[in-house]
Amino acid sequence: MKRLLHTLCCGLAALAAGCQSEYHAYDTRVTGTRDIHVRNIPAIEQACSGKRTIRFAVISDTQRWYDETSAAVAAINRRDDLDFVIHAGDMTDFGLRAEFERQRDLLEKLRLPYVALIGNHDCLATGATVFRKIFGPVDFAFTAGSVRFICLNTNALEFDYHGVPDYGFVEAELAAFPATCDRMIAVMHASPRSEQFDGAPAERLHALLRRFPQFDLCVHGHGHSYEITEPFEDGVTYIQNDAIEKNNYLIYTVTEEGWTHEKVDF
């Protein structure tokens, strides 16, 4: 069975790479641009410094839909009213280096700085290692205007619930919450009510996030369908993106008074 799985993964890797034999299912030798968040997070923070209104786009679940991803990038590039872009995870189907590099090369065509979260498919094989090389840590945060974005790896099932979610990271962010921020937005791939959680971690994570100032919005992907829910019935809205195959993305506008969002077809 292991040999069959290995052969299948190798075949998929070759297919994703255009049948180039140097690709292997567990190859982590990244070529091209790396450490993208090291460049893009400061760019977002600088571009949004002092702003009381920020606008950002969210795409998600671009796995295998390369043409649609390219079209989304082109559509976003035609706008002049956005500050940055968030990819909410699942760039890949099988966590292969070839998939990551192809998606990265499409995202690198964005005129705006962007960040990407790790999805459950991105964790397969050695995908988490490749993700860290191309983008950076799987848990990270940044400030845009007066809003703190807490971006979390919530693919708990893929890690056998060991260290995911990283409560220590969230607690450290809470303790060091910037005095210049008056609101927090959580970003994740899988919501706490998805199969990636087993009940108790969901309640614990949400309760911890509730301790942040003005936390009333979580942006996520994973389900492949646009949904607005209030899973904990406490005033915090969770909004799930469509998969990119449905040819749309979401735009959020955040002001001192609150936030709004809209779905944009392309």
Side-chain angles (χ1 to χ4, degrees):
M1 178 61 71
K2 287 184 177 180
R3 177 172 296 180
L4 177 60
L5 179 61
H6 174 79
T7 301
L8 176 60
C9 288
C10 287
L12 290 167
L15 179 62
C19 299
Q20 298 180 45
S21 60
E22 70 267 20
Y23 281 84
H24 186 279
Y26 301 102
D27 185 3
T28 63
R29 298 170 298 173
V30 171
T31 61
T33 305
R34 297 173 54 153
D35 299 317
I36 287 171
H37 291 170
V38 171
R39 176 195 70 205
N40 282 356
I41 287 178
I44 292 172
E45 294 186 328
Q46 182 176 359
C48 296
S49 179
K51 285 190 173 184
R52 305 308 296 178
T53 298
I54 61 170
R55 284 170 59 84
F56 61 95
V58 181
I59 62 174
S60 190
D61 298 272
T62 59
Q63 61 219 79
R64 72 182 170 271
W65 293 298
Y66 298 103
D67 290 344
E68 290 83 353
T69 303
S70 181
V73 168
I76 292 171
N77 281 344
R78 287 192 291 270
R79 306 184 68 103
D80 61 1
D81 58 347
L82 299 174
D83 296 304
F84 58 94
V85 179
I86 295 175
H87 188 305
D90 269 2
M91 286 169 278
T92 73
D93 246 354
F94 306 102
L96 301 176
R97 173 171 72 95
E99 295 177 290
F100 275 110
E101 290 179 343
R102 187 173 176 187
Q103 288 279 354
R104 174 207 60 198
D105 291 347
L106 293 175
L107 294 174
E108 282 290 285
K109 295 178 182 178
L110 284 165
R111 293 192 298 106
L112 296 167
Y114 70 95
V115 295
L117 282 82
I118 192 167
N120 58 306
H121 282 261
D122 301 328
C123 298
L124 299 178
T126 51
T129 297
V130 177
F131 178 92
R132 290 185 180 99
K133 288 184 176 183
I134 293 178
F135 295 101
V138 294
D139 297 291
F140 60 96
F142 63 93
T143 297
S146 61
V147 183
R148 188 69 171 169
F149 287 79
I150 307 296
C151 303
L152 301 175
N153 172 19
T154 53
N155 307 293
L157 179 62
E158 306 303 330
F159 288 84
D160 294 325
Y161 302 101
H162 294 154
V164 178
D166 188 339
Y167 300 111
F169 173 83
V170 180
E171 289 170 349
E173 279 294 320
L174 182 62
F177 194 77
T180 56
C181 292
D182 55 21
R183 177 180 296 276
M184 187 276 281
I185 293 175
V187 189
M188 53 189 70
H189 178 63
S191 77
R193 290 304 193 200
S194 75
E195 84 292 342
Q196 287 290 320
F197 289 75
D198 64 356
E203 301 290 344
R204 180 181 175 187
L205 175 61
H206 185 76
L208 187 56
L209 294 174
R210 285 281 286 155
R211 294 167 58 190
F212 283 86
Q214 289 296 312
F215 168 55
D216 60 2
L217 173 64
C218 175
V219 175
H220 67 96
H222 185 57
H224 288 213
S225 62
Y226 172 61
E227 291 183 358
I228 304 173
T229 63
E230 191 180 315
F232 298 92
E233 299 181 348
D234 61 353
V236 179
T237 303
Y238 282 67
I239 301 181
Q240 178 174 272
N241 263 66
D242 274 329
I244 204 68
E245 67 163 330
K246 296 180 181 177
N247 296 292
N248 66 68
Y249 58 90
L250 299 182
I251 288 180
Y252 291 84
T253 302
V254 186
T255 69
E256 293 175 298
E257 287 72 37
W259 57 267
T260 59
H261 84 289
E262 60 181 303
K263 184 164 68 168
V264 180
D265 296 321
F266 61 86

